[in-house]
Short mmCIF file of all heavy atoms in Angstrom, two decimals:
data_model
loop_
_atom_site.label_atom_id
_atom_site.label_comp_id
_atom_site.label_asym_id
_atom_site.label_seq_id
_atom_site.Cartn_x
_atom_site.Cartn_y
_atom_site.Cartn_z
N ASN A 1 -53.40 8.11 -27.12
CA ASN A 1 -54.63 7.46 -27.29
C ASN A 1 -55.63 8.05 -26.32
O ASN A 1 -55.25 8.61 -25.27
CB ASN A 1 -54.46 5.96 -27.03
CG ASN A 1 -55.56 5.12 -27.62
OD1 ASN A 1 -56.56 5.63 -28.16
ND2 ASN A 1 -55.47 3.77 -27.53
N THR A 2 -56.90 7.87 -26.61
CA THR A 2 -57.94 8.40 -25.69
C THR A 2 -59.07 7.41 -25.60
O THR A 2 -59.27 6.58 -26.39
CB THR A 2 -58.57 9.75 -26.16
OG1 THR A 2 -59.14 9.54 -27.41
CG2 THR A 2 -57.47 10.82 -26.20
N ARG A 3 -59.79 7.53 -24.50
CA ARG A 3 -61.06 6.81 -24.31
C ARG A 3 -62.14 7.77 -24.02
O ARG A 3 -61.94 8.55 -23.03
CB ARG A 3 -60.99 5.82 -23.09
CG ARG A 3 -62.30 5.11 -23.02
CD ARG A 3 -62.34 4.18 -21.75
NE ARG A 3 -61.27 3.25 -21.67
CZ ARG A 3 -60.45 3.03 -20.67
NH1 ARG A 3 -60.64 3.64 -19.55
NH2 ARG A 3 -59.48 2.19 -20.75
N PRO A 4 -63.22 7.92 -24.76
CA PRO A 4 -63.48 7.31 -26.05
C PRO A 4 -62.52 7.95 -27.12
O PRO A 4 -61.80 8.85 -26.84
CB PRO A 4 -64.95 7.76 -26.35
CG PRO A 4 -65.12 8.97 -25.62
CD PRO A 4 -64.25 8.90 -24.36
N TRP A 5 -62.65 7.48 -28.32
CA TRP A 5 -61.84 8.01 -29.37
C TRP A 5 -62.02 9.52 -29.48
O TRP A 5 -63.11 10.03 -29.09
CB TRP A 5 -62.07 7.31 -30.77
CG TRP A 5 -63.45 7.55 -31.27
CD1 TRP A 5 -64.57 6.70 -31.06
CD2 TRP A 5 -63.93 8.56 -32.03
NE1 TRP A 5 -65.66 7.21 -31.68
CE2 TRP A 5 -65.34 8.42 -32.29
CE3 TRP A 5 -63.40 9.79 -32.54
CZ2 TRP A 5 -66.09 9.28 -32.98
CZ3 TRP A 5 -64.15 10.67 -33.30
CH2 TRP A 5 -65.51 10.39 -33.47
N SER A 6 -61.09 10.22 -30.07
CA SER A 6 -61.28 11.64 -30.24
C SER A 6 -60.45 12.12 -31.44
O SER A 6 -59.47 11.46 -31.89
CB SER A 6 -60.79 12.40 -29.03
OG SER A 6 -59.43 12.28 -28.75
N LYS A 7 -60.74 13.29 -31.90
CA LYS A 7 -59.94 13.97 -32.87
C LYS A 7 -58.90 14.78 -32.12
O LYS A 7 -59.28 15.44 -31.23
CB LYS A 7 -60.78 14.84 -33.78
CG LYS A 7 -61.71 14.07 -34.65
CD LYS A 7 -62.45 14.93 -35.64
CE LYS A 7 -63.38 14.08 -36.58
NZ LYS A 7 -64.18 14.94 -37.40
N VAL A 8 -57.60 14.77 -32.60
CA VAL A 8 -56.62 15.50 -31.89
C VAL A 8 -56.05 16.67 -32.77
O VAL A 8 -55.75 16.52 -33.93
CB VAL A 8 -55.40 14.57 -31.65
CG1 VAL A 8 -54.28 15.26 -30.90
CG2 VAL A 8 -55.87 13.33 -30.86
N TYR A 9 -56.10 17.86 -32.12
CA TYR A 9 -55.65 19.06 -32.81
C TYR A 9 -54.43 19.66 -32.09
O TYR A 9 -54.36 19.61 -30.81
CB TYR A 9 -56.79 20.12 -32.78
CG TYR A 9 -57.93 19.70 -33.53
CD1 TYR A 9 -59.00 18.99 -33.01
CD2 TYR A 9 -58.13 20.18 -34.88
CE1 TYR A 9 -60.10 18.65 -33.76
CE2 TYR A 9 -59.20 19.82 -35.61
CZ TYR A 9 -60.23 19.05 -35.03
OH TYR A 9 -61.34 18.72 -35.80
N LEU A 10 -53.49 20.11 -32.79
CA LEU A 10 -52.26 20.71 -32.32
C LEU A 10 -52.16 22.09 -33.08
O LEU A 10 -52.05 22.12 -34.30
CB LEU A 10 -51.00 19.90 -32.56
CG LEU A 10 -49.69 20.57 -32.19
CD1 LEU A 10 -49.62 20.84 -30.64
CD2 LEU A 10 -48.55 19.69 -32.54
N ARG A 11 -52.21 23.22 -32.24
CA ARG A 11 -52.09 24.53 -32.85
C ARG A 11 -53.22 24.76 -33.93
O ARG A 11 -52.94 25.31 -34.92
CB ARG A 11 -50.71 24.71 -33.37
CG ARG A 11 -49.68 24.78 -32.39
CD ARG A 11 -48.28 24.92 -33.06
NE ARG A 11 -47.30 24.82 -31.94
CZ ARG A 11 -46.03 24.57 -32.14
NH1 ARG A 11 -45.57 24.34 -33.42
NH2 ARG A 11 -45.20 24.47 -31.16
N GLY A 12 -54.45 24.20 -33.61
CA GLY A 12 -55.50 24.37 -34.50
C GLY A 12 -55.55 23.53 -35.73
O GLY A 12 -56.47 23.56 -36.54
N ARG A 13 -54.58 22.71 -35.86
CA ARG A 13 -54.46 21.75 -37.04
C ARG A 13 -54.84 20.31 -36.56
O ARG A 13 -54.22 19.83 -35.60
CB ARG A 13 -53.13 21.78 -37.62
CG ARG A 13 -52.87 21.01 -38.87
CD ARG A 13 -51.43 21.14 -39.42
NE ARG A 13 -51.01 19.83 -39.92
CZ ARG A 13 -50.33 18.94 -39.15
NH1 ARG A 13 -49.88 19.16 -37.99
NH2 ARG A 13 -50.00 17.84 -39.70
N LEU A 14 -55.72 19.74 -37.39
CA LEU A 14 -56.01 18.31 -37.07
C LEU A 14 -54.82 17.42 -37.30
O LEU A 14 -54.32 17.37 -38.40
CB LEU A 14 -57.17 17.83 -37.92
CG LEU A 14 -57.56 16.42 -37.76
CD1 LEU A 14 -58.17 16.16 -36.36
CD2 LEU A 14 -58.68 16.04 -38.85
N VAL A 15 -54.44 16.64 -36.18
CA VAL A 15 -53.34 15.73 -36.30
C VAL A 15 -53.90 14.29 -36.83
O VAL A 15 -53.19 13.62 -37.51
CB VAL A 15 -52.60 15.59 -34.92
CG1 VAL A 15 -51.47 14.55 -35.02
CG2 VAL A 15 -52.00 17.00 -34.55
N GLY A 16 -55.05 14.04 -36.30
CA GLY A 16 -55.63 12.72 -36.70
C GLY A 16 -56.64 12.33 -35.55
O GLY A 16 -56.98 13.01 -34.72
N THR A 17 -57.18 11.07 -35.73
CA THR A 17 -58.08 10.57 -34.82
C THR A 17 -57.44 9.41 -34.06
O THR A 17 -56.71 8.56 -34.66
CB THR A 17 -59.33 10.05 -35.56
OG1 THR A 17 -59.90 11.14 -36.33
CG2 THR A 17 -60.36 9.41 -34.73
N THR A 18 -57.70 9.32 -32.81
CA THR A 18 -56.99 8.23 -31.99
C THR A 18 -57.62 6.86 -32.25
O THR A 18 -58.81 6.81 -32.66
CB THR A 18 -57.27 8.56 -30.45
OG1 THR A 18 -58.62 8.50 -30.13
CG2 THR A 18 -56.57 9.84 -30.02
N PRO A 19 -56.85 5.90 -32.18
CA PRO A 19 -55.41 5.91 -31.72
C PRO A 19 -54.46 6.41 -32.84
O PRO A 19 -54.65 6.10 -34.04
CB PRO A 19 -55.13 4.40 -31.39
CG PRO A 19 -56.05 3.64 -32.31
CD PRO A 19 -57.29 4.47 -32.40
N LEU A 20 -53.58 7.23 -32.43
CA LEU A 20 -52.56 7.78 -33.33
C LEU A 20 -51.25 7.02 -33.20
O LEU A 20 -50.92 6.54 -32.11
CB LEU A 20 -52.28 9.27 -32.99
CG LEU A 20 -53.31 10.26 -33.23
CD1 LEU A 20 -52.96 11.66 -32.61
CD2 LEU A 20 -53.57 10.39 -34.74
N GLY A 21 -50.50 6.98 -34.19
CA GLY A 21 -49.20 6.35 -34.17
C GLY A 21 -48.21 7.06 -35.08
O GLY A 21 -48.55 7.62 -36.05
N ASN A 22 -46.96 7.09 -34.57
CA ASN A 22 -45.84 7.77 -35.34
C ASN A 22 -46.25 9.10 -35.96
O ASN A 22 -46.21 9.33 -37.16
CB ASN A 22 -45.42 6.80 -36.48
CG ASN A 22 -44.79 5.58 -35.88
OD1 ASN A 22 -44.27 5.58 -34.78
ND2 ASN A 22 -45.01 4.46 -36.60
N VAL A 23 -46.60 10.11 -35.10
CA VAL A 23 -46.84 11.46 -35.52
C VAL A 23 -45.60 12.31 -35.12
O VAL A 23 -45.25 12.33 -33.90
CB VAL A 23 -48.09 12.00 -34.88
CG1 VAL A 23 -48.36 13.41 -35.25
CG2 VAL A 23 -49.31 11.13 -35.30
N ARG A 24 -45.02 13.00 -36.03
CA ARG A 24 -43.89 13.84 -35.74
C ARG A 24 -44.48 15.20 -35.23
O ARG A 24 -45.30 15.80 -35.88
CB ARG A 24 -43.01 14.07 -36.91
CG ARG A 24 -42.29 12.86 -37.31
CD ARG A 24 -41.19 13.26 -38.29
NE ARG A 24 -40.38 12.03 -38.62
CZ ARG A 24 -39.23 11.75 -37.90
NH1 ARG A 24 -38.90 12.51 -36.94
NH2 ARG A 24 -38.52 10.74 -38.24
N VAL A 25 -43.94 15.67 -34.11
CA VAL A 25 -44.33 16.94 -33.47
C VAL A 25 -43.12 17.59 -33.02
O VAL A 25 -42.12 16.97 -32.74
CB VAL A 25 -45.42 16.73 -32.38
CG1 VAL A 25 -46.66 16.16 -32.88
CG2 VAL A 25 -44.86 15.84 -31.27
N PRO A 26 -43.14 18.92 -32.80
CA PRO A 26 -42.05 19.62 -32.21
C PRO A 26 -41.86 19.23 -30.78
O PRO A 26 -42.72 18.86 -30.01
CB PRO A 26 -42.38 21.09 -32.38
CG PRO A 26 -43.85 21.02 -32.43
CD PRO A 26 -44.32 19.87 -33.08
N ALA A 27 -40.59 19.38 -30.32
CA ALA A 27 -40.28 19.22 -28.90
C ALA A 27 -40.85 20.30 -28.06
O ALA A 27 -41.11 21.41 -28.46
CB ALA A 27 -38.78 19.10 -28.68
N GLY A 28 -41.08 19.95 -26.77
CA GLY A 28 -41.66 20.94 -25.83
C GLY A 28 -42.98 20.49 -25.21
O GLY A 28 -43.36 19.42 -25.36
N ASN A 29 -43.63 21.37 -24.46
CA ASN A 29 -44.94 21.18 -23.89
C ASN A 29 -45.94 21.52 -24.98
O ASN A 29 -46.09 22.67 -25.34
CB ASN A 29 -45.09 22.01 -22.67
CG ASN A 29 -44.23 21.52 -21.51
OD1 ASN A 29 -43.96 20.35 -21.39
ND2 ASN A 29 -43.76 22.51 -20.73
N LEU A 30 -46.63 20.48 -25.40
CA LEU A 30 -47.67 20.65 -26.53
C LEU A 30 -49.07 20.69 -25.94
O LEU A 30 -49.47 19.79 -25.16
CB LEU A 30 -47.54 19.55 -27.51
CG LEU A 30 -46.15 19.27 -28.07
CD1 LEU A 30 -46.15 18.11 -29.08
CD2 LEU A 30 -45.62 20.50 -28.73
N ASN A 31 -49.79 21.72 -26.23
CA ASN A 31 -51.16 21.92 -25.81
C ASN A 31 -52.03 21.34 -26.85
O ASN A 31 -52.13 21.77 -28.01
CB ASN A 31 -51.50 23.40 -25.58
CG ASN A 31 -50.64 23.95 -24.48
OD1 ASN A 31 -50.58 23.38 -23.35
ND2 ASN A 31 -50.09 25.11 -24.69
N LEU A 32 -52.68 20.19 -26.53
CA LEU A 32 -53.62 19.49 -27.44
C LEU A 32 -55.02 19.84 -27.15
O LEU A 32 -55.47 20.02 -25.98
CB LEU A 32 -53.41 18.02 -27.32
CG LEU A 32 -52.00 17.51 -27.45
CD1 LEU A 32 -51.97 15.94 -27.20
CD2 LEU A 32 -51.48 17.76 -28.87
N THR A 33 -55.77 19.93 -28.23
CA THR A 33 -57.32 20.00 -28.08
C THR A 33 -57.82 18.69 -28.62
O THR A 33 -57.51 18.26 -29.71
CB THR A 33 -57.80 21.17 -28.97
OG1 THR A 33 -57.23 22.40 -28.49
CG2 THR A 33 -59.31 21.26 -28.86
N LEU A 34 -58.66 18.03 -27.75
CA LEU A 34 -59.23 16.72 -28.12
C LEU A 34 -60.70 16.98 -28.21
O LEU A 34 -61.36 17.53 -27.38
CB LEU A 34 -58.92 15.73 -27.01
CG LEU A 34 -57.46 15.66 -26.58
CD1 LEU A 34 -57.35 14.81 -25.33
CD2 LEU A 34 -56.63 15.09 -27.71
N VAL A 35 -61.32 16.49 -29.31
CA VAL A 35 -62.76 16.61 -29.45
C VAL A 35 -63.29 15.14 -29.53
O VAL A 35 -62.97 14.41 -30.53
CB VAL A 35 -63.12 17.32 -30.81
CG1 VAL A 35 -64.66 17.41 -30.93
CG2 VAL A 35 -62.56 18.76 -30.75
N ASP A 36 -64.11 14.82 -28.49
CA ASP A 36 -64.56 13.36 -28.43
C ASP A 36 -65.78 13.18 -29.34
O ASP A 36 -66.27 14.08 -30.11
CB ASP A 36 -64.88 13.02 -26.95
CG ASP A 36 -66.04 13.77 -26.42
OD1 ASP A 36 -67.00 14.19 -27.07
OD2 ASP A 36 -66.13 13.85 -25.11
N ARG A 37 -66.23 11.90 -29.38
CA ARG A 37 -67.26 11.44 -30.28
C ARG A 37 -68.61 12.26 -30.13
O ARG A 37 -69.35 12.33 -30.96
CB ARG A 37 -67.50 10.00 -30.14
CG ARG A 37 -68.05 9.66 -28.77
CD ARG A 37 -68.20 8.10 -28.58
NE ARG A 37 -68.64 7.86 -27.29
CZ ARG A 37 -68.40 6.72 -26.70
NH1 ARG A 37 -67.76 5.78 -27.32
NH2 ARG A 37 -68.76 6.57 -25.41
N ASP A 38 -68.82 12.83 -28.87
CA ASP A 38 -70.01 13.61 -28.67
C ASP A 38 -69.83 15.08 -28.95
O ASP A 38 -70.73 15.93 -28.67
CB ASP A 38 -70.39 13.37 -27.20
CG ASP A 38 -70.81 11.97 -26.88
OD1 ASP A 38 -71.30 11.30 -27.74
OD2 ASP A 38 -70.46 11.45 -25.75
N GLY A 39 -68.59 15.49 -29.41
CA GLY A 39 -68.32 16.87 -29.76
C GLY A 39 -67.82 17.70 -28.55
O GLY A 39 -67.68 18.90 -28.63
N ASN A 40 -67.61 17.07 -27.37
CA ASN A 40 -67.01 17.74 -26.26
C ASN A 40 -65.61 17.97 -26.45
O ASN A 40 -64.89 17.17 -26.93
CB ASN A 40 -67.20 16.97 -25.01
CG ASN A 40 -68.71 16.69 -24.71
OD1 ASN A 40 -69.57 17.52 -24.69
ND2 ASN A 40 -69.04 15.42 -24.50
N THR A 41 -65.13 19.21 -25.97
CA THR A 41 -63.81 19.60 -26.19
C THR A 41 -63.05 19.43 -24.83
O THR A 41 -63.56 19.82 -23.81
CB THR A 41 -63.67 21.12 -26.60
OG1 THR A 41 -64.29 21.24 -27.85
CG2 THR A 41 -62.22 21.55 -26.76
N HIS A 42 -61.77 18.82 -24.98
CA HIS A 42 -60.96 18.66 -23.83
C HIS A 42 -59.58 19.21 -24.18
O HIS A 42 -59.14 19.10 -25.31
CB HIS A 42 -60.77 17.13 -23.44
CG HIS A 42 -62.11 16.40 -23.41
ND1 HIS A 42 -62.80 16.23 -22.22
CD2 HIS A 42 -62.95 15.90 -24.36
CE1 HIS A 42 -63.92 15.54 -22.47
NE2 HIS A 42 -64.08 15.39 -23.72
N ARG A 43 -58.91 19.72 -23.18
CA ARG A 43 -57.59 20.28 -23.42
C ARG A 43 -56.58 19.55 -22.52
O ARG A 43 -56.84 19.30 -21.31
CB ARG A 43 -57.52 21.76 -23.13
CG ARG A 43 -58.47 22.53 -23.96
CD ARG A 43 -58.13 23.95 -24.09
NE ARG A 43 -59.20 24.72 -24.72
CZ ARG A 43 -59.56 24.70 -25.96
NH1 ARG A 43 -59.02 23.87 -26.75
NH2 ARG A 43 -60.54 25.46 -26.47
N ARG A 44 -55.47 19.08 -23.11
CA ARG A 44 -54.47 18.28 -22.38
C ARG A 44 -53.11 18.76 -22.90
O ARG A 44 -52.97 19.26 -24.00
CB ARG A 44 -54.59 16.83 -22.59
CG ARG A 44 -55.91 16.19 -22.15
CD ARG A 44 -56.05 16.24 -20.66
NE ARG A 44 -57.28 15.46 -20.22
CZ ARG A 44 -58.40 16.03 -20.08
NH1 ARG A 44 -58.60 17.22 -20.46
NH2 ARG A 44 -59.44 15.35 -19.66
N THR A 45 -52.10 18.58 -22.03
CA THR A 45 -50.74 18.98 -22.40
C THR A 45 -49.86 17.71 -22.35
O THR A 45 -49.97 16.89 -21.45
CB THR A 45 -50.15 19.99 -21.37
OG1 THR A 45 -51.00 21.11 -21.40
CG2 THR A 45 -48.77 20.37 -21.71
N VAL A 46 -49.06 17.58 -23.33
CA VAL A 46 -48.01 16.47 -23.42
C VAL A 46 -46.68 17.07 -23.61
O VAL A 46 -46.46 17.99 -24.43
CB VAL A 46 -48.37 15.60 -24.73
CG1 VAL A 46 -47.26 14.55 -24.93
CG2 VAL A 46 -49.75 14.99 -24.62
N SER A 47 -45.69 16.57 -22.79
CA SER A 47 -44.37 17.01 -22.87
C SER A 47 -43.51 16.07 -23.74
O SER A 47 -43.62 14.85 -23.52
CB SER A 47 -43.76 17.00 -21.42
OG SER A 47 -44.42 18.01 -20.68
N VAL A 48 -42.86 16.64 -24.75
CA VAL A 48 -42.06 15.85 -25.65
C VAL A 48 -40.62 16.43 -25.64
O VAL A 48 -40.38 17.56 -25.84
CB VAL A 48 -42.55 15.96 -27.00
CG1 VAL A 48 -41.78 15.16 -28.03
CG2 VAL A 48 -44.11 15.51 -27.09
N ARG A 49 -39.68 15.49 -25.24
CA ARG A 49 -38.29 15.89 -25.28
C ARG A 49 -37.71 15.75 -26.66
O ARG A 49 -38.11 14.91 -27.44
CB ARG A 49 -37.50 14.98 -24.34
CG ARG A 49 -37.85 15.21 -22.84
CD ARG A 49 -36.99 14.42 -21.98
NE ARG A 49 -36.90 13.04 -22.45
CZ ARG A 49 -36.16 12.09 -21.88
NH1 ARG A 49 -35.54 12.29 -20.79
NH2 ARG A 49 -36.25 10.89 -22.43
N SER A 50 -36.75 16.59 -27.04
CA SER A 50 -36.09 16.56 -28.28
C SER A 50 -35.47 15.19 -28.57
O SER A 50 -34.76 14.61 -27.78
CB SER A 50 -35.05 17.65 -28.40
OG SER A 50 -34.42 17.66 -29.57
N GLY A 51 -35.85 14.58 -29.71
CA GLY A 51 -35.27 13.28 -30.14
C GLY A 51 -35.87 12.13 -29.44
O GLY A 51 -35.42 11.02 -29.60
N ALA A 52 -36.85 12.34 -28.60
CA ALA A 52 -37.46 11.22 -27.82
C ALA A 52 -38.83 10.95 -28.24
O ALA A 52 -39.53 11.75 -29.02
CB ALA A 52 -37.53 11.61 -26.33
N GLU A 53 -39.30 9.77 -27.93
CA GLU A 53 -40.64 9.29 -28.22
C GLU A 53 -41.56 9.64 -27.00
O GLU A 53 -41.06 9.37 -25.88
CB GLU A 53 -40.70 7.78 -28.55
CG GLU A 53 -42.02 7.27 -28.91
CD GLU A 53 -41.94 5.79 -29.23
OE1 GLU A 53 -41.31 5.46 -30.21
OE2 GLU A 53 -42.52 5.00 -28.46
N ALA A 54 -42.77 10.07 -27.24
CA ALA A 54 -43.65 10.29 -26.06
C ALA A 54 -44.91 9.58 -26.34
O ALA A 54 -45.39 9.45 -27.45
CB ALA A 54 -43.92 11.82 -26.02
N ARG A 55 -45.45 9.00 -25.31
CA ARG A 55 -46.81 8.30 -25.40
C ARG A 55 -47.69 8.91 -24.32
O ARG A 55 -47.25 9.24 -23.26
CB ARG A 55 -46.65 6.79 -25.14
CG ARG A 55 -45.87 6.16 -26.25
CD ARG A 55 -45.69 4.67 -25.86
NE ARG A 55 -44.75 4.06 -26.82
CZ ARG A 55 -45.15 3.11 -27.67
NH1 ARG A 55 -46.44 2.62 -27.59
NH2 ARG A 55 -44.35 2.57 -28.49
N ALA A 56 -48.94 9.00 -24.62
CA ALA A 56 -49.92 9.48 -23.65
C ALA A 56 -51.31 8.82 -23.85
O ALA A 56 -51.65 8.38 -24.95
CB ALA A 56 -50.12 11.05 -23.85
N PHE A 57 -52.00 8.63 -22.73
CA PHE A 57 -53.30 8.14 -22.72
C PHE A 57 -54.19 8.98 -21.86
O PHE A 57 -53.81 9.30 -20.70
CB PHE A 57 -53.37 6.73 -22.21
CG PHE A 57 -54.76 6.20 -22.04
CD1 PHE A 57 -55.44 5.70 -23.23
CD2 PHE A 57 -55.50 6.21 -20.89
CE1 PHE A 57 -56.78 5.27 -23.21
CE2 PHE A 57 -56.74 5.76 -20.79
CZ PHE A 57 -57.44 5.31 -21.93
N PHE A 58 -55.35 9.40 -22.33
CA PHE A 58 -56.30 10.28 -21.65
C PHE A 58 -57.68 9.64 -21.64
O PHE A 58 -58.15 9.27 -22.64
CB PHE A 58 -56.43 11.68 -22.24
CG PHE A 58 -55.05 12.42 -22.33
CD1 PHE A 58 -54.45 12.65 -23.53
CD2 PHE A 58 -54.46 12.85 -21.22
CE1 PHE A 58 -53.26 13.35 -23.61
CE2 PHE A 58 -53.23 13.53 -21.19
CZ PHE A 58 -52.65 13.74 -22.43
N ASP A 59 -58.14 9.37 -20.45
CA ASP A 59 -59.54 8.93 -20.26
C ASP A 59 -60.45 10.04 -20.15
O ASP A 59 -60.51 10.73 -19.18
CB ASP A 59 -59.61 7.91 -19.07
CG ASP A 59 -60.94 7.28 -18.96
OD1 ASP A 59 -61.96 7.75 -19.60
OD2 ASP A 59 -61.08 6.18 -18.26
N LEU A 60 -61.07 10.34 -21.23
CA LEU A 60 -61.89 11.64 -21.25
C LEU A 60 -63.20 11.49 -20.55
O LEU A 60 -63.94 12.46 -20.24
CB LEU A 60 -62.20 12.04 -22.69
CG LEU A 60 -60.93 12.22 -23.58
CD1 LEU A 60 -61.34 12.52 -24.96
CD2 LEU A 60 -60.05 13.26 -23.00
N THR A 61 -63.50 10.23 -20.13
CA THR A 61 -64.80 9.97 -19.37
C THR A 61 -64.62 10.33 -17.89
O THR A 61 -65.52 10.61 -17.17
CB THR A 61 -65.23 8.55 -19.45
OG1 THR A 61 -64.25 7.63 -18.85
CG2 THR A 61 -65.47 8.11 -20.87
N THR A 62 -63.33 10.36 -17.43
CA THR A 62 -63.01 10.65 -16.00
C THR A 62 -62.23 11.94 -15.83
O THR A 62 -61.92 12.31 -14.75
CB THR A 62 -62.26 9.49 -15.34
OG1 THR A 62 -60.99 9.39 -16.01
CG2 THR A 62 -63.00 8.20 -15.45
N GLY A 63 -61.81 12.48 -16.97
CA GLY A 63 -60.88 13.72 -16.83
C GLY A 63 -59.46 13.41 -16.61
O GLY A 63 -58.75 14.34 -16.27
N GLN A 64 -59.04 12.26 -16.70
CA GLN A 64 -57.65 11.89 -16.44
C GLN A 64 -56.80 11.99 -17.70
O GLN A 64 -57.11 11.55 -18.73
CB GLN A 64 -57.53 10.46 -15.92
CG GLN A 64 -58.22 10.31 -14.59
CD GLN A 64 -57.56 11.07 -13.42
OE1 GLN A 64 -56.31 11.07 -13.39
NE2 GLN A 64 -58.31 11.71 -12.63
#
């Protein structure tokens, strides 16, 4: 999830718009591109272990 909402891209492919739920992705360190409602691009990394569930929240207004 992100604040504010954003479009989430993985490897150049649109995954969806936040909040996202139950999205299958490969295991590993995933480099995400987030495009917020104002069109600003943010890059974040999420680590996903094989067979595990991962959750992430990014406040794009503060860079966290």
Side-chain angles (χ1 to χ4, degrees):
N1 201 356
T2 62
R3 179 186 304 133
W5 64 265
S6 65
K7 292 182 180 180
V8 179
Y9 294 85
L10 175 62
R11 299 178 180 157
R13 186 178 138 263
L14 178 63
V15 176
T17 302
T18 61
L20 291 171
N22 296 330
V23 176
R24 289 193 175 271
V25 296
N29 292 325
L30 306 180
N31 297 311
L32 303 176
T33 300
L34 310 169
V35 180
D36 68 24
R37 64 182 175 206
D38 296 324
N40 299 311
T41 300
H42 309 266
R43 301 200 191 291
R44 299 291 186 273
T45 301
V46 175
S47 295
V48 180
R49 292 184 313 181
S50 181
E53 181 178 296
R55 294 174 186 247
F57 174 80
F58 301 110
D59 187 339
L60 304 178
T61 63
T62 63
Q64 298 289 322

